Amino acid sequence: MDDTKQYNEHARAVDGEAQLQTLVDNAPVVLSALDDDGVVLLSEGRGLDALGLEPGELVGDSVFDRYDDVPTVVRNARRALAGDSFTATEEVEGISFESIYRPVFGQRGTVEWVARVSVDVTDRRQYEETLAALHGSTLALVDAETKSEVAERIVDAATDVLDLTGVVLFLFDETTNCLEPVAVSPDVESFVGEPPTYRPGTSITWDVFAEGESRVYGDVRESEFVDNPDTRVRSGLYIPLGSHGVLVAISAERDAFGEETTDLVTLFATNAEVALDRVDYEEMLRTRDDELQTQNDQLTRLNELNGTIRELVQRLIRADTREEIERAVCERLTTVDRYGLAWVGDADVVREELVPRTWAGGDHSYLDSVDRSLTPEGGSTEPACVAASRRELVAVDNVAEGLRDDPWRKEALSRDYQSVLAVPLVYEGFLYGVLTVYAARLNAFDETTSAVLSELGETIGYAINTVETRRGVLTDGTLELDIRLSETDDLLARVARSVPCRLGLEGIVPETDTAVLFVTVTDADVEEVRAAFEELVSVSAVRVVAEHDDEGLLEVVTSGETLPGTLTRHGAVPKSVTTTDDGLRALVHVAYDTDVRAFLAMLREKYPDVELVARRDRERSLDPGQGFAAELDRRLTDRQAEVLKTAYCGGFFESPRESTGEELGASLGITQPTFNHHLRAGQRKLFDQLYDGEGRRLDE
């Protein structure tokens, strides 16, 4: 039994020595021992291979002599022989060791020998150094301001720190949906040429980007997504950078990218993605700040412009002449700092050019230096002329664009006009001219500003129409225009063709959205003519006011465009409008100084076949009746004037009455009591004016 126990103990001892020897032979360590003089007593371990030494080769050598050129080893040996136990890092012949020194003491307490265990930590130290270098490279990404700059620094770090070859960083371009090579290491071009742009489809790079998963290939030809089977590339490392792109490293050698390298590149790619996220976020903030600043600037300018418009509207309301309106607009707009020149041009159909009427601001010699023609073949490309021809707003954000194509641009730029807005002044289809404004900065007329100035153009057109109409009523002299319309589709002509008859305008009462026409019927059955009017979509009501033998009077309520309505809206007085065998004949009174050519051009916008048969001067007599009519017109409200005229034309004052108050009120869209109220109020003002204020009612 004792023999068995002794045998087992011996066997275990043998096994332990064998295991220890196996560990020493295979572990990357160096086991050594020094006597009290520093002479090597033991030198074993696989770690000696890194130093090119055989086991036991150092035995008998003095550590101080052997490593006199390695101060750390000499210093550590002396320290251990002095009795210290410690761990130290040593570098011997380019190999890094982590060494544990343990002194062994004798009975007298003195160091008899020193045990030393050294572990080769070269790979770990290199890894740590690489991590530190990557950390530094990551910090370098922090101050990069653009994606391109970040990309360049990523490629630099991948080649300098990670020692990668063939590095390309692709960034995704949202405008083209492609991966663009943004940064490339110097060796790529000589290896594979210029990197391609990858569109959605079959390529390893695009697949990695789309899937968001890294790929490592010992031979890229083994991938189903390889875009060039004959490529010189063998190894490939593809790391996605989120939604930004892909970091690619390639090599002509197989299996060039090990696990440790892949881990380091992946770690660095994560930091690179964060840097790209930061750039995106900062760009978004800058864009938002720019947008907010732009909006604030636009709001400031809009508030300023609105203040100018409000002031202008007040001046337009008080203006008595067209010249006063145009001058006020040009002068007030050019007091705004950003507008250098403003002018109003009138389309002269005879001279076929846009003629300046009023201007204010900077160097108006520009108006003489540019072509302002309005020829049917196209005319000038100057914005004001284009707006006049098209009758629509024209904005030029940058005058310098197309500088060599349009001569007016050179003239504008020489006067520091950078952008232009031309607004047609149109009211009820009639072009009263074009307002054109020039600014000393680019993009001065954004969408909101253009909309505001477009509305101003409509207001100016209305104001000009108002003063022109007022002038037509108050002027002492008039022009009588005898005009003919052949083959017209006007309301009266259409009915006269449908039912052969002769129709004549007895009177018109214009409303906001409709007009009430009183039409005489000759040589036809009145009921048949009434039925023909009722069939028209634009006619909402027809009533027979009176009928005598072969003549009759109809009241026609229409929402359609009519020649009498068009004339009335533009300050003209239709003295008579009658149907003829081929159309209409009208005698029209307009203000004495009316531009007849422009007036006819306005009519031709709706009635292309208008022909001027004759033009006659009609001097108004200066008898009291003229002043009486003007003063009465001033005193009557619009509704009172409408009611009086409707009653007169509708036969209300005939005996017996041809229309009742209820019928006439219905044509005006009001009740009989309301009609009677306005009628009595109008009559009182008529008699008050007739009798020079005798018995005037103060409550009216």
Side-chain angles (χ1 to χ4, degrees):
M1 190 70 177
D2 291 340
D3 292 340
T4 302
K5 181 178 180 182
Q6 185 178 4
Y7 173 80
N8 290 338
E9 289 177 352
H10 177 71
R12 283 196 297 271
V14 172
D15 290 343
E17 290 177 2
Q19 292 172 354
L20 178 59
Q21 188 61 47
T22 300
L23 178 63
V24 170
D25 291 339
N26 292 279
V29 299
V30 176
L31 302 178
S32 58
L34 307 176
D35 67 10
D36 55 355
D37 291 325
V39 175
V40 177
L41 302 175
L42 175 68
S43 177
E44 298 289 341
R46 187 175 177 182
L48 293 170
D49 293 345
L51 297 173
L53 298 175
E54 295 293 334
E57 184 176 341
L58 295 179
V59 174
D61 291 348
S62 170
V63 70
F64 302 117
D65 294 336
R66 180 79 181 194
Y67 296 108
D68 61 342
D69 59 344
V70 186
T72 54
V73 174
V74 172
R75 185 170 56 252
N76 290 337
R78 294 189 186 280
R79 180 181 172 186
L81 290 172
D84 284 348
S85 295
F86 59 93
T87 301
T89 300
E90 301 168 333
E91 185 166 336
V92 180
E93 298 180 9
I95 308 301
S96 295
F97 291 96
E98 189 173 86
S99 300
I100 302 173
Y101 286 86
R102 292 290 184 269
V104 178
F105 296 93
Q107 294 181 353
R108 300 178 182 178
T110 60
V111 175
E112 293 187 351
W113 59 284
V114 172
R116 175 175 174 263
V117 179
S118 299
V119 180
D120 186 349
V121 294
T122 302
D123 291 342
R124 189 187 75 186
R125 186 171 182 179
Q126 288 177 346
Y127 186 81
E128 290 172 349
E129 289 175 350
T130 301
L131 284 179
L134 282 180
H135 179 68
S137 299
T138 300
L139 292 178
L141 300 177
V142 172
D143 59 351
E145 296 183 353
T146 65
K147 278 191 170 183
S148 296
E149 189 175 351
V150 171
E152 291 290 348
R153 297 187 183 186
I154 290 173
V155 171
D156 289 344
T159 54
D160 297 341
V161 178
L162 298 176
D163 199 26
L164 297 179
T165 60
V167 182
V168 183
L169 193 141
F170 293 87
L171 290 181
F172 181 66
D173 188 336
E174 294 180 351
T175 62
T176 61
N177 284 343
C178 295
L179 288 169
E180 300 283 352
V182 176
V184 182
S185 63
D187 57 343
V188 170
E189 185 173 358
S190 62
F191 179 31
V192 294
E194 184 177 351
T197 293
Y198 287 116
R199 301 181 180 278
T202 304
S203 71
I204 299 175
T205 305
W206 182 265
D207 178 61
V208 167
F209 176 72
E211 296 296 328
E213 296 181 358
S214 299
R215 299 277 193 273
V216 183
Y217 294 98
D219 189 335
V220 297
R221 295 176 298 178
E222 297 174 357
S223 171
E224 62 178 306
F225 298 108
V226 64
D227 55 316
N228 178 17
D230 298 325
T231 180
R232 293 172 54 196
V233 177
R234 293 300 176 262
S235 300
L237 176 59
Y238 302 82
I239 309 294
L241 302 176
S243 61
H244 303 289
V246 180
L247 176 62
V248 177
I250 55 178
S251 173
E253 300 178 3
R254 293 176 178 269
D255 302 314
F257 306 110
E259 182 178 349
E260 185 176 289
T261 298
T262 301
D263 290 344
L264 287 171
V265 175
T266 301
L267 176 62
F268 181 58
T270 300
N271 294 330
E273 182 180 343
V274 171
L276 291 169
D277 286 340
R278 175 189 57 79
V279 170
D280 265 354
Y281 180 71
E282 290 177 352
E283 178 64 26
M284 182 270 291
L285 290 180
R286 283 194 296 270
T287 300
R288 188 177 66 178
D289 289 344
D290 290 344
E291 290 175 350
L292 289 175
Q293 184 61 49
T294 299
Q295 291 173 1
N296 287 336
D297 292 343
Q298 290 175 343
L299 183 59
T300 299
R301 291 194 297 268
L302 183 60
N303 287 337
E304 179 186 6
L305 182 59
N306 282 334
T308 300
I309 299 300
R310 285 193 295 270
E311 180 182 333
L312 259 178
V313 169
Q314 294 301 316
R315 295 179 65 177
L316 297 184
I317 292 173
R318 297 191 299 268
D320 294 322
T321 66
R322 176 175 179 174
E323 290 73 17
E324 186 179 346
I325 291 171
E326 294 170 341
R327 184 172 61 255
V329 170
C330 292
E331 289 178 351
R332 188 64 188 89
L333 285 179
T334 50
T335 60
V336 180
D337 291 340
R338 62 184 182 275
Y339 300 146
L341 173 67
W343 67 290
V344 174
D346 190 22
D348 190 318
V349 295
V350 175
R351 294 164 57 182
E352 292 187 337
E353 69 173 345
L354 195 65
V355 180
R357 288 178 53 88
T358 310
W359 55 84
D363 186 359
H364 57 267
S365 65
Y366 167 79
L367 302 179
D368 295 323
S369 67
V370 297
D371 176 21
R372 292 178 275 102
S373 62
L374 297 173
T375 59
E377 293 75 18
S380 171
T381 57
E382 212 283 337
C385 298
V386 177
S389 300
R390 298 179 182 175
R391 298 200 174 194
E392 61 185 31
L393 182 144
V394 175
V396 178
D397 294 329
N398 184 0
V399 172
E401 291 183 0
L403 180 61
R404 298 181 179 178
D405 300 329
D406 300 316
W408 70 266
R409 295 177 184 266
K410 179 180 177 181
E411 297 294 339
L413 284 175
S414 68
R415 294 164 175 82
D416 198 28
Y417 301 148
Q418 302 288 336
S419 51
V420 187
L421 183 72
V423 181
L425 308 179
V426 178
Y427 179 71
E428 293 290 344
F430 183 63
L431 178 68
Y432 285 101
V434 177
L435 168 66
T436 310
V437 185
Y438 302 77
R441 68 180 184 85
L442 297 172
N443 303 304
F445 305 101
D446 55 45
E447 184 177 348
T448 303
T449 301
S450 297
V452 171
L453 290 176
S454 178
E455 291 180 4
L456 174 63
E458 295 176 3
T459 303
I460 296 170
Y462 172 78
I464 293 175
N465 173 267
T466 300
V467 298
E468 293 284 279
T469 301
R470 188 188 307 147
R471 184 190 62 184
V473 172
L474 300 179
T475 186
D476 290 334
T478 62
L479 292 176
E480 182 179 81
L481 305 180
D482 187 351
I483 61 177
R484 179 169 56 200
L485 293 82
S486 58
E487 300 181 1
T488 180
D489 200 35
D490 191 72
L491 182 71
L492 298 181
R494 198 184 318 168
V495 172
R497 286 196 299 268
S498 174
V499 180
C501 64
R502 189 169 300 278
L503 302 178
L505 179 70
E506 185 72 16
I508 177 173
V509 182
E511 292 283 307
T512 302
D513 299 318
T514 61
V516 181
L517 305 180
F518 290 93
V519 181
T520 58
V521 180
T522 307
D523 300 332
D525 181 74
V526 176
E527 284 296 330
E528 187 177 355
V529 175
R530 182 191 62 78
F533 272 111
E534 284 185 336
E535 291 179 358
L536 301 179
V537 175
S538 61
V539 174
S540 57
V542 186
R543 182 173 65 88
V544 177
V545 177
E547 185 175 2
H548 304 288
D549 300 329
D550 59 348
E551 292 187 356
L553 178 66
L554 295 178
E555 177 192 77
V556 180
V557 182
T558 176
S559 59
E561 187 68 52
T562 65
L563 176 62
T566 300
L567 295 171
T568 302
R569 279 195 300 276
H570 291 286
V573 179
K575 303 303 289 184
S576 71
V577 178
T578 58
T579 60
T580 63
D581 292 339
D582 60 352
L584 293 177
R585 188 73 174 264
L587 289 179
V588 182
H589 284 192
V590 296
Y592 191 78
D593 56 350
T594 295
D595 185 336
V596 176
R597 290 190 300 270
F599 182 79
L600 292 175
M602 176 275 297
L603 286 180
R604 290 191 179 101
E605 289 292 324
K606 292 184 173 60
Y607 307 99
D609 57 342
V610 168
E611 176 187 357
L612 179 62
V613 178
R615 165 179 171 166
R616 310 176 188 92
D617 292 343
R618 289 287 184 262
E619 293 292 335
R620 289 186 178 176
S621 64
L622 298 179
D623 61 47
Q626 298 293 337
F628 178 90
E631 179 62 20
L632 178 62
D633 184 69
R634 186 187 66 81
R635 291 189 178 191
L636 291 174
T637 66
D638 291 342
R639 178 59 83 180
Q640 290 165 1
E642 290 171 353
V643 168
L644 280 175
K645 188 170 184 179
T646 303
Y648 176 75
C649 295
F652 183 81
F653 299 114
E654 299 293 331
S655 181
R657 287 179 176 172
E658 296 176 344
S659 298
T660 66
E662 181 179 4
E663 292 170 330
L664 295 173
S667 68
L668 296 176
I670 58 178
T671 63
Q672 180 180 358
T674 301
F675 176 85
N676 291 337
H677 170 76
H678 289 301
L679 181 64
R680 288 194 298 271
Q683 289 173 326
R684 280 196 296 271
K685 290 182 179 180
L686 170 63
F687 294 135
D688 183 50
Q689 177 68 14
L690 179 63
Y691 297 120
D692 196 21
E694 296 178 12
R696 180 181 297 166
R697 288 282 302 273
L698 298 179
D699 58 345
E700 292 297 326

mmCIF file of all heavy atoms in Angstrom, residues 517-536:
data_model
loop_
_atom_site.group_PDB
_atom_site.id
_atom_site.type_symbol
_atom_site.label_atom_id
_atom_site.label_comp_id
_atom_site.label_asym_id
_atom_site.label_seq_id
_atom_site.Cartn_x
_atom_site.Cartn_y
_atom_site.Cartn_z
ATOM 1 N N LEU A 517 -79.719 95.471 -68.148
ATOM 2 C CA LEU A 517 -79.842 96.145 -69.438
ATOM 3 C C LEU A 517 -81.318 96.369 -69.749
ATOM 4 O O LEU A 517 -82.150 95.463 -69.582
ATOM 5 C CB LEU A 517 -79.219 95.299 -70.553
ATOM 6 C CG LEU A 517 -77.762 94.853 -70.400
ATOM 7 C CD1 LEU A 517 -77.347 94.019 -71.617
ATOM 8 C CD2 LEU A 517 -76.853 96.045 -70.248
ATOM 9 N N PHE A 518 -81.646 97.568 -70.201
ATOM 10 C CA PHE A 518 -82.987 97.853 -70.707
ATOM 11 C C PHE A 518 -82.867 97.942 -72.221
ATOM 12 O O PHE A 518 -82.164 98.815 -72.759
ATOM 13 C CB PHE A 518 -83.535 99.146 -70.108
ATOM 14 C CG PHE A 518 -83.856 99.010 -68.645
ATOM 15 C CD1 PHE A 518 -82.922 99.354 -67.684
ATOM 16 C CD2 PHE A 518 -85.089 98.506 -68.236
ATOM 17 C CE1 PHE A 518 -83.207 99.219 -66.336
ATOM 18 C CE2 PHE A 518 -85.383 98.373 -66.887
ATOM 19 C CZ PHE A 518 -84.436 98.719 -65.935
ATOM 20 N N VAL A 519 -83.519 96.997 -72.894
ATOM 21 C CA VAL A 519 -83.320 96.803 -74.324
ATOM 22 C C VAL A 519 -84.643 97.011 -75.061
ATOM 23 O O VAL A 519 -85.663 96.406 -74.704
ATOM 24 C CB VAL A 519 -82.777 95.391 -74.615
ATOM 25 C CG1 VAL A 519 -82.551 95.195 -76.110
ATOM 26 C CG2 VAL A 519 -81.492 95.148 -73.835
ATOM 27 N N THR A 520 -84.621 97.867 -76.081
ATOM 28 C CA THR A 520 -85.804 98.049 -76.928
ATOM 29 C C THR A 520 -85.800 97.005 -78.030
ATOM 30 O O THR A 520 -84.754 96.633 -78.565
ATOM 31 C CB THR A 520 -85.817 99.447 -77.556
ATOM 32 O OG1 THR A 520 -84.636 99.630 -78.322
ATOM 33 C CG2 THR A 520 -85.891 100.519 -76.477
ATOM 34 N N VAL A 521 -86.993 96.511 -78.360
ATOM 35 C CA VAL A 521 -87.166 95.480 -79.383
ATOM 36 C C VAL A 521 -88.024 96.056 -80.504
ATOM 37 O O VAL A 521 -89.104 96.600 -80.249
ATOM 38 C CB VAL A 521 -87.835 94.223 -78.801
ATOM 39 C CG1 VAL A 521 -88.003 93.150 -79.879
ATOM 40 C CG2 VAL A 521 -87.032 93.692 -77.626
ATOM 41 N N THR A 522 -87.555 95.940 -81.736
ATOM 42 C CA THR A 522 -88.290 96.446 -82.899
ATOM 43 C C THR A 522 -88.353 95.352 -83.957
ATOM 44 O O THR A 522 -87.403 94.579 -84.134
ATOM 45 C CB THR A 522 -87.587 97.687 -83.481
ATOM 46 O OG1 THR A 522 -87.378 98.645 -82.443
ATOM 47 C CG2 THR A 522 -88.427 98.326 -84.578
ATOM 48 N N ASP A 523 -89.490 95.305 -84.651
ATOM 49 C CA ASP A 523 -89.678 94.395 -85.794
ATOM 50 C C ASP A 523 -89.601 92.926 -85.389
ATOM 51 O O ASP A 523 -89.065 92.085 -86.119
ATOM 52 C CB ASP A 523 -88.633 94.662 -86.885
ATOM 53 C CG ASP A 523 -88.714 96.081 -87.426
ATOM 54 O OD1 ASP A 523 -89.820 96.653 -87.392
ATOM 55 O OD2 ASP A 523 -87.668 96.610 -87.849
ATOM 56 N N ALA A 524 -90.135 92.594 -84.226
ATOM 57 C CA ALA A 524 -90.158 91.184 -83.813
ATOM 58 C C ALA A 524 -91.141 91.017 -82.672
ATOM 59 O O ALA A 524 -91.530 91.991 -81.999
ATOM 60 C CB ALA A 524 -88.769 90.732 -83.385
ATOM 61 N N ASP A 525 -91.538 89.772 -82.455
ATOM 62 C CA ASP A 525 -92.418 89.460 -81.341
ATOM 63 C C ASP A 525 -91.619 89.555 -80.044
ATOM 64 O O ASP A 525 -90.582 88.891 -79.888
ATOM 65 C CB ASP A 525 -92.988 88.050 -81.510
ATOM 66 C CG ASP A 525 -93.937 87.696 -80.380
ATOM 67 O OD1 ASP A 525 -95.059 88.204 -80.364
ATOM 68 O OD2 ASP A 525 -93.484 86.922 -79.493
ATOM 69 N N VAL A 526 -92.080 90.375 -79.117
ATOM 70 C CA VAL A 526 -91.330 90.629 -77.884
ATOM 71 C C VAL A 526 -91.158 89.348 -77.073
ATOM 72 O O VAL A 526 -90.085 89.093 -76.505
ATOM 73 C CB VAL A 526 -92.027 91.723 -77.045
ATOM 74 C CG1 VAL A 526 -91.313 91.922 -75.711
ATOM 75 C CG2 VAL A 526 -92.078 93.030 -77.818
ATOM 76 N N GLU A 527 -92.200 88.526 -77.015
ATOM 77 C CA GLU A 527 -92.105 87.291 -76.237
ATOM 78 C C GLU A 527 -91.078 86.333 -76.828
ATOM 79 O O GLU A 527 -90.363 85.635 -76.112
ATOM 80 C CB GLU A 527 -93.476 86.605 -76.164
ATOM 81 C CG GLU A 527 -94.441 87.247 -75.203
ATOM 82 C CD GLU A 527 -93.949 87.148 -73.764
ATOM 83 O OE1 GLU A 527 -93.244 86.166 -73.426
ATOM 84 O OE2 GLU A 527 -94.245 88.063 -72.975
ATOM 85 N N GLU A 528 -91.002 86.327 -78.149
ATOM 86 C CA GLU A 528 -90.023 85.457 -78.801
ATOM 87 C C GLU A 528 -88.596 85.923 -78.492
ATOM 88 O O GLU A 528 -87.700 85.113 -78.242
ATOM 89 C CB GLU A 528 -90.264 85.447 -80.312
ATOM 90 C CG GLU A 528 -89.395 84.438 -81.057
ATOM 91 C CD GLU A 528 -89.696 84.401 -82.542
ATOM 92 O OE1 GLU A 528 -90.649 85.090 -82.971
ATOM 93 O OE2 GLU A 528 -88.971 83.684 -83.262
ATOM 94 N N VAL A 529 -88.402 87.244 -78.475
ATOM 95 C CA VAL A 529 -87.083 87.788 -78.141
ATOM 96 C C VAL A 529 -86.752 87.511 -76.679
ATOM 97 O O VAL A 529 -85.615 87.166 -76.324
ATOM 98 C CB VAL A 529 -87.031 89.298 -78.444
ATOM 99 C CG1 VAL A 529 -85.696 89.888 -77.980
ATOM 100 C CG2 VAL A 529 -87.231 89.552 -79.931
ATOM 101 N N ARG A 530 -87.763 87.664 -75.816
ATOM 102 C CA ARG A 530 -87.550 87.369 -74.389
ATOM 103 C C ARG A 530 -87.108 85.924 -74.202
ATOM 104 O O ARG A 530 -86.174 85.631 -73.436
ATOM 105 C CB ARG A 530 -88.838 87.631 -73.604
ATOM 106 C CG ARG A 530 -88.684 87.395 -72.089
ATOM 107 C CD ARG A 530 -90.028 87.396 -71.395
ATOM 108 N NE ARG A 530 -90.882 86.321 -71.875
ATOM 109 C CZ ARG A 530 -90.769 85.049 -71.501
ATOM 110 N NH1 ARG A 530 -89.825 84.695 -70.626
ATOM 111 N NH2 ARG A 530 -91.566 84.133 -71.988
ATOM 112 N N ALA A 531 -87.744 85.009 -74.914
ATOM 113 C CA ALA A 531 -87.385 83.589 -74.805
ATOM 114 C C ALA A 531 -85.960 83.352 -75.295
ATOM 115 O O ALA A 531 -85.222 82.521 -74.734
ATOM 116 C CB ALA A 531 -88.373 82.742 -75.600
ATOM 117 N N ALA A 532 -85.547 84.075 -76.322
ATOM 118 C CA ALA A 532 -84.174 83.920 -76.833
ATOM 119 C C ALA A 532 -83.153 84.378 -75.789
ATOM 120 O O ALA A 532 -82.093 83.759 -75.622
ATOM 121 C CB ALA A 532 -84.007 84.714 -78.126
ATOM 122 N N PHE A 533 -83.473 85.460 -75.077
ATOM 123 C CA PHE A 533 -82.572 85.912 -74.001
ATOM 124 C C PHE A 533 -82.497 84.875 -72.885
ATOM 125 O O PHE A 533 -81.427 84.596 -72.335
ATOM 126 C CB PHE A 533 -83.053 87.253 -73.427
ATOM 127 C CG PHE A 533 -82.531 88.457 -74.148
ATOM 128 C CD1 PHE A 533 -83.381 89.257 -74.903
ATOM 129 C CD2 PHE A 533 -81.189 88.793 -74.077
ATOM 130 C CE1 PHE A 533 -82.908 90.368 -75.576
ATOM 131 C CE2 PHE A 533 -80.698 89.914 -74.742
ATOM 132 C CZ PHE A 533 -81.560 90.701 -75.498
ATOM 133 N N GLU A 534 -83.635 84.281 -72.536
ATOM 134 C CA GLU A 534 -83.682 83.323 -71.429
ATOM 135 C C GLU A 534 -82.851 82.075 -71.717
ATOM 136 O O GLU A 534 -82.376 81.412 -70.787
ATOM 137 C CB GLU A 534 -85.131 82.919 -71.147
ATOM 138 C CG GLU A 534 -85.925 83.987 -70.406
ATOM 139 C CD GLU A 534 -87.317 83.498 -70.038
ATOM 140 O OE1 GLU A 534 -87.808 82.570 -70.730
ATOM 141 O OE2 GLU A 534 -87.902 84.027 -69.079
ATOM 142 N N GLU A 535 -82.656 81.741 -72.974
ATOM 143 C CA GLU A 535 -81.884 80.546 -73.316
ATOM 144 C C GLU A 535 -80.384 80.736 -73.081
ATOM 145 O O GLU A 535 -79.637 79.757 -73.039
ATOM 146 C CB GLU A 535 -82.121 80.175 -74.787
ATOM 147 C CG GLU A 535 -83.534 79.666 -75.057
ATOM 148 C CD GLU A 535 -83.739 79.331 -76.522
ATOM 149 O OE1 GLU A 535 -82.777 79.533 -77.304
ATOM 150 O OE2 GLU A 535 -84.837 78.867 -76.882
ATOM 151 N N LEU A 536 -79.932 81.967 -72.920
ATOM 152 C CA LEU A 536 -78.509 82.228 -72.731
ATOM 153 C C LEU A 536 -78.101 81.957 -71.291
ATOM 154 O O LEU A 536 -78.783 82.382 -70.346
ATOM 155 C CB LEU A 536 -78.181 83.674 -73.109
ATOM 156 C CG LEU A 536 -78.508 84.061 -74.555
ATOM 157 C CD1 LEU A 536 -78.155 85.523 -74.803
ATOM 158 C CD2 LEU A 536 -77.755 83.164 -75.538
#
